[in-house]
Amino acid sequence: MEKVGLFTPIKINTLELKNRMMMSPAFSNSAAPGGFVTDWTLRHYQKRAAAGVGLVMVEHTSVNGYYIHGGNRLQVSTDQHIPGLARLAKVIKDAGAKAGLQIAHSIHGVGLKPEDLPKRVIMEMIQEFIQGARRAYEAGFDVVELHFAHTYTMADMLSRRTNRRLDEYGGDVYGRMRAHQEIILGIREMMGRDVPLFAVISADEFIIGGNTLKQTRIIAQELEKCGIDCLDVTAGVRFDDGGLKGYSDLRGKPTVEYPDGPNVYLAEDIKKYVTIPVITRGKLGNPEFAASVIEQGRADMIAMIRPLLADDKWVKKVQAGRPELIKICMACNNCLYKRRHPDDPIKCMERECAQCLTCLRNCPYHLPFINENGVLEFGNEWCDECGMCAGICPAHVVRFHANPQYDWVADQVAPAVQGLKSKDLRAVVIACASGPYRCDDKFLADGLAHNVALIRVPCPGRVETLQMLCILELGVDGILVAGCRLEENPECKFRHHHPWAARRVARANEILQEVVLTRKVIEEVELTGLQVLELSGLTRDFISRLRAHKEDGGSR
Ligand SMILES: Cc1cc2nc3c(=O)[nH]c(=O)nc-3n(C[C@H](O)[C@H](O)[C@H](O)COP(=O)(O)O)c2cc1C
Ligand code: SF4
Ligand code: SF4
Ligand code: SF4
């Protein structure tokens, strides 16, 4: 049997996709007043369609002009929206992808709960979904996705936590999904059995009293029976206890602390209960991991958005066999939380502080804090300069040299170099705190402390090229950067930074060659846990090379 992978085509009802990757629907905050498509909307989707995803699922688009979630949302609430949406479907399809439209309704946006809705409003909402789907297909979308998840009306109706209705649209799980079934049957009646129709469900709401797999398995089976062709399985994003950035929200947009694909297990579980294809989402930007999800049959497709915001050419680079060129999404969620102005469209904002407080959680003394003006401060007077915050900040905004209170080279490396007894040949070894640095006792025992300054860092990947050059300016003859062998420690929270160590070392040597030196004076080694004690031997060899180099007359 042919091996199924990310680039294997898939057919869902009449929809033929060239690969298994979907641009996950994501609010772009780009609609014009009234919910109309803008040029920005067109460019945003066209770019990602052109870069190779099989299916572009356009964001949450409201079927009603009043029950609408905040921000500049697209609408499909009137026939006047059809021409703009038709342009959008066309640019996506012309760029080589299939086009989908996610349609939604939000009472949360106007502060209501399911039990507040008169039955008349529910009947109207069902019709609005049916009409919204009709308009989407008329506009040329290949597929419609019904938004039955997160903090929107249909999820409120499905959830055992929020649906407190006493009529036939509430009660047990079957009552709570009656409106959903009526929507699907209505769309099928109007559009026929051949139009591809997806639904997105939260397999686990990750909120006290909310739906878990126990309810969602039944919901998934019933949706399939009703005529849904594919289930897009998401998680969390309920704002009704922790709010934005609460646990439920973060489970849906997993941040830097979560492993790859923390919600794949949910799709995998749902897949056992249905026969239709299942899509999984959430932190799938590591191409190797994403491929494994499909290859191992844990889901039929993957959906992603933040990796495509960080690098719209993600798919192209994976297809070309150049995953190392991908601009990695740091899962900082700055794209969502850190817009400069509420009307700015969504885009990757990786290099701005997201106020995610990851630094606070990782600082041994809990020093960083948000001040009364909403700006992050570091409480520098108590800081012992361990560098944990700089090492973990997903937005890379905490930098040793950018902090006027703390210049890493001047404050930590220079005194160590000045303390070296040898005036003959001196070197600096920069070692990962949780890896090679553990060799420090052996270093002393082997007498290396005489001419080698061993510097502890949270991750050598965080040491900048410029900093390496500044260390040479202190008068040392060479630098050895010692990191961990990544395969040994796949859980390392700095693993995204780690590959930068080798690249920065290479770049620093390149610069040195361009100006004066012809030989490498900065080297990089990666050690497994068992090899850590070999660091002193490797340092000795490094020093011998430096000495030979010096005697050769190649000094600066
Ligand atoms: C800026 C932003 C907007 C989002 N808007 C939607 C949306 O409109 N509809 C939806 O189903 N999910 C939405 N999501 C959730 C994403 O589709 C996706 O499930 C989540 O971000 C996890 O996937 P990722 O790790 O690939 O970003 C949004 C996520 C982000 C970051
Ligand atoms: S802002 Fe952060 S989470 Fe958003 S796309 Fe960029 S790196 Fe990823
Ligand atoms: S400095 Fe970095 S880790 Fe700290 S809150 Fe800002 S983005 Fe988060
Ligand atoms: S350098 Fe260390 S002590 Fe200082 S703020 Fe960062 S994590 Fe906290």
Side-chain angles (χ1 to χ4, degrees):
M1 208 170 77
E2 201 197 329
K3 198 173 146 200
V4 174
L6 284 177
F7 291 92
T8 310
I10 183 169
K11 186 165 185 219
I12 303 174
N13 193 344
T14 52
L15 179 71
E16 293 188 30
L17 299 177
K18 64 183 174 190
N19 61 43
R20 306 283 177 124
M21 286 162 283
M22 170 169 111
M23 175 176 173
S24 202
F27 164 60
S28 65
N29 203 30
S30 67
F36 293 94
V37 168
T38 59
D39 287 347
W40 195 95
T41 321
L42 296 176
R43 274 197 307 279
H44 172 68
Y45 285 105
Q46 195 270 348
K47 221 169 162 185
R48 276 137 194 115
V53 284
L55 175 60
V56 169
M57 187 60 75
V58 170
E59 67 200 73
H60 173 134
T61 301
S62 189
V63 295
N64 180 295
Y66 172 71
Y67 295 109
I68 197 163
H69 210 69
N72 303 315
R73 300 254 162 196
L74 289 177
Q75 288 185 35
V76 62
S77 54
T78 69
D79 284 358
Q80 287 160 3
H81 291 98
I82 296 177
L85 290 169
R87 283 171 64 212
L88 182 53
K90 184 168 183 317
V91 295
I92 293 170
K93 295 204 290 192
D94 286 351
K98 297 287 179 181
L101 187 72
Q102 183 185 67
I103 61 175
H105 186 281
S106 174
I107 52 172
H108 182 84
V110 293
L112 295 177
K113 299 195 178 81
E115 64 267 31
D116 300 328
L117 300 180
K119 198 164 157 189
R120 174 188 52 80
V121 173
I122 296 207
M123 307 312 288
E124 284 168 6
M125 178 182 73
I126 292 168
Q127 288 311 313
E128 284 157 5
F129 266 103
I130 297 169
Q131 291 303 324
R134 174 196 48 90
R135 291 184 191 112
Y137 292 122
E138 273 181 32
F141 282 94
D142 301 295
V143 49
V144 167
E145 178 168 273
L146 302 170
H147 203 336
F148 291 169
H150 300 162
T151 300
Y152 307 114
T153 311
M154 301 314 291
D156 293 341
M157 294 289 286
L158 272 183
S159 175
R160 66 191 178 125
R161 173 185 163 102
T162 45
N163 186 339
R164 301 285 158 136
R165 293 184 71 89
L166 299 173
D167 62 3
E168 68 270 36
Y169 291 101
D172 66 8
V173 66
Y174 298 97
R176 298 200 305 269
M177 65 177 307
R178 182 181 299 274
H180 309 70
Q181 290 169 319
E182 291 178 8
I183 290 170
I184 298 163
L185 294 173
I187 294 173
R188 287 290 178 217
E189 198 178 310
M190 176 173 286
M191 305 304 302
R193 188 63 192 84
D194 289 347
V195 292
L197 186 61
F198 291 13
V200 54
I201 51 173
S202 284
D204 192 320
E205 296 187 287
F206 291 112
I207 191 166
I208 294 166
N211 286 349
T212 64
L213 276 169
K214 200 170 167 191
Q215 290 74 35
T216 320
R217 288 171 187 150
I218 301 172
I219 293 168
Q221 287 176 322
E222 293 301 315
L223 291 176
E224 177 175 12
K225 277 189 215 156
C226 258
I228 285 296
D229 296 314
C230 176
L231 286 169
D232 180 1
V233 176
T234 178
V237 195
R238 296 287 320 184
F239 303 143
D240 44 336
D241 74 342
L244 208 64
K245 300 192 197 178
Y247 177 65
S248 177
D249 188 28
L250 294 186
R251 281 306 302 246
K253 308 171 192 101
T255 39
V256 64
E257 292 110 323
Y258 287 89
D260 289 325
N263 298 325
V264 173
Y265 78 98
L266 295 169
E268 193 175 11
D269 184 280
I270 293 293
K271 214 171 134 46
K272 295 185 190 132
Y273 290 83
V274 294
T275 61
I276 51 179
V278 170
I279 303 173
T280 182
R281 327 165 157 194
K283 213 169 173 199
L284 296 165
N286 170 353
E288 228 174 286
F289 179 83
S292 77
V293 170
I294 302 295
E295 284 160 14
Q296 292 167 16
R298 302 180 71 196
D300 300 286
M301 286 182 67
I302 60 148
M304 57 187 159
I305 182 60
R306 291 170 302 168
L308 299 183
L309 294 178
D311 190 341
D312 56 73
K313 299 194 179 54
W314 190 99
V315 177
K316 208 175 225 174
K317 290 174 182 173
V318 174
Q319 192 163 23
R322 301 298 305 274
E324 75 281 7
L325 298 181
I326 291 173
K327 282 179 245 151
I328 293 167
C329 165
M330 305 306 292
C332 60
N333 284 344
N334 278 7
C335 42
L336 200 57
Y337 306 137
K338 195 60 194 161
R339 276 168 287 143
R340 281 192 203 87
H341 186 276
D343 283 335
D344 283 353
I346 297 283
K347 57 180 190 220
C348 180
M349 305 277 286
E350 193 235 317
R351 290 194 179 268
E352 305 223 358
C353 169
Q355 305 194 348
C356 62
L357 296 185
T358 306
C359 50
L360 168 64
R361 292 194 294 277
N362 286 277
C363 170
Y365 313 110
H366 304 292
L367 297 180
F369 66 97
I370 305 267
N371 70 17
E372 63 279 9
N373 300 321
V375 176
L376 186 86
E377 279 190 28
F378 273 80
N380 283 319
E381 66 274 30
W382 304 109
C383 170
D384 83 352
E385 301 166 0
C386 68
M388 285 305 290
C389 52
I392 189 70
C393 169
H396 292 209
V397 291
V398 186
R399 281 159 186 259
F400 294 133
H401 60 81
N403 184 343
Q405 301 287 325
Y406 182 42
D407 176 340
W408 176 65
V409 176
D411 294 355
Q412 193 177 347
V413 186
V417 170
Q418 279 151 18
L420 293 175
K421 298 228 168 56
S422 167
K423 299 295 169 213
D424 161 33
L425 191 139
R426 298 181 306 167
V428 166
V429 174
I430 299 169
C432 167
S434 49
Y437 186 82
R438 286 184 282 137
C439 173
D440 57 341
D441 286 346
K442 187 157 183 350
F443 237 71
L444 280 178
D446 289 353
L448 282 165
H450 184 66
N451 56 350
V452 180
L454 180 63
I455 308 290
R456 176 182 183 271
V457 289
C459 170
R462 305 295 295 134
V463 179
E464 310 269 340
T465 304
L466 186 61
Q467 289 172 323
M468 295 178 200
L469 300 176
C470 289
I471 292 173
L472 291 178
E473 275 183 1
L474 297 174
V476 300
D477 297 277
I479 304 171
L480 183 64
V481 178
C484 313
R485 178 76 50 84
L486 207 55
E487 310 87 72
E488 282 275 304
N489 194 1
E491 294 302 312
C492 170
K493 60 187 170 189
F494 302 118
R495 66 188 185 284
H496 293 314
H497 305 152
H498 178 278
W500 284 98
R503 290 188 215 172
R504 290 190 178 128
V505 165
R507 180 67 193 130
N509 279 310
E510 249 171 52
I511 293 171
L512 290 171
Q513 280 187 7
E514 279 163 20
V515 287
V516 271
L517 288 178
T518 50
R519 303 210 189 146
K520 267 173 67 175
V521 291
I522 311 179
E523 294 186 14
E524 195 245 353
V525 287
E526 291 176 13
L527 306 180
T528 65
L530 291 175
Q531 291 170 330
V532 159
L533 290 182
E534 290 172 24
L535 181 64
S536 60
L538 290 167
T539 304
R540 226 182 265 292
D541 296 345
F542 176 60
I543 288 177
S544 308
R545 285 194 290 282
L546 288 178
R547 196 176 297 285
H549 176 209
K550 203 166 178 177
E551 285 166 6
D552 232 16
S555 70
R556 290 166 298 140

